[in-house]
Amino acid sequence: MAEPTPFLKKSLRVLDVIEKLVVITMIVLLVAVLLLAVSELWGLFVSGAREKVGAIATAQDFQDILQNAFGGILVVFVGLELLETMRAYFADHHVRVEVILFVAIIATGRHIIGLDVHHTEPMVFIGLATLMLALSGSYFLMKRTGKVS
């Protein structure tokens, strides 16, 4: 194979620097979003706890509060997993598929938790169950083959 030209070498270095700057920028932005999300989640928890604790009259009210709280927490976990993906990409220059699968599992679970079970079509549940089984099965197979740490 022929030796790369000086122009090609310089172009590749410039692209490498641009790639690193973009990844660093994305990491900083994601950290800022996560910090904002956690502070907002705490604020919503404190204000919502004061308002809703005395207003819980039925199990449905309690379930709605828990669904919203768990959904918010899972969104933060999705952000943390995305941050891990960015960190791994910055360090290794490759995207770890197991992290993407894990993010997808968390996001799907968060969506399922947030569903209104009384007003959702049954086919939506079948589709989400199929998606969750496919994602979980993929993660299991990757772990079983030694591709996941």
Side-chain angles (χ1 to χ4, degrees):
M1 185 169 200
E3 181 70 25
T5 64
F7 175 75
L8 181 60
K9 286 181 181 179
K10 186 175 182 177
S11 297
L12 290 175
R13 281 194 303 265
V14 168
L15 286 175
D16 191 46
V17 168
I18 290 171
E19 179 186 25
K20 286 180 181 175
L21 285 173
V22 168
V23 171
I24 289 170
T25 303
M26 297 302 294
I27 288 172
V28 169
L29 181 61
L30 194 52
V31 167
V33 167
L34 282 170
L35 291 173
L36 180 64
V38 169
S39 68
E40 280 295 316
L41 193 59
W42 269 108
L44 288 170
F45 174 75
V46 170
S47 68
R50 269 190 246 124
E51 291 175 16
K52 298 196 176 181
V53 167
I56 298 174
T58 65
Q60 182 64 37
D61 293 342
F62 184 65
Q63 182 180 1
D64 291 343
I65 291 169
L66 287 179
Q67 280 180 324
N68 291 333
F70 291 156
I73 290 167
L74 286 175
V75 165
V76 172
F77 273 116
V78 167
L80 288 172
E81 289 299 327
L82 288 174
L83 185 61
E84 171 63 19
T85 300
M86 291 291 201
R87 188 205 58 75
Y89 183 79
F90 187 72
D92 306 332
H93 294 291
H94 66 84
V95 176
R96 292 180 24 211
V97 176
E98 70 270 12
V99 176
I100 301 299
L101 282 171
F102 199 62
V103 168
I105 290 168
I106 292 171
T108 305
R110 186 237 174 263
H111 184 71
I112 291 169
I113 287 172
L115 284 177
D116 181 1
V117 295
H118 302 293
H119 299 99
T120 303
E121 294 291 322
M123 287 305 291
V124 171
F125 288 112
I126 292 171
L128 287 170
T130 303
L131 177 61
M132 188 61 88
L133 285 171
L135 291 169
S136 301
S138 298
Y139 189 82
F140 171 77
L141 290 174
M142 285 190 73
K143 190 164 182 85
R144 188 167 188 201
T145 60
K147 303 281 186 192
V148 178
S149 53

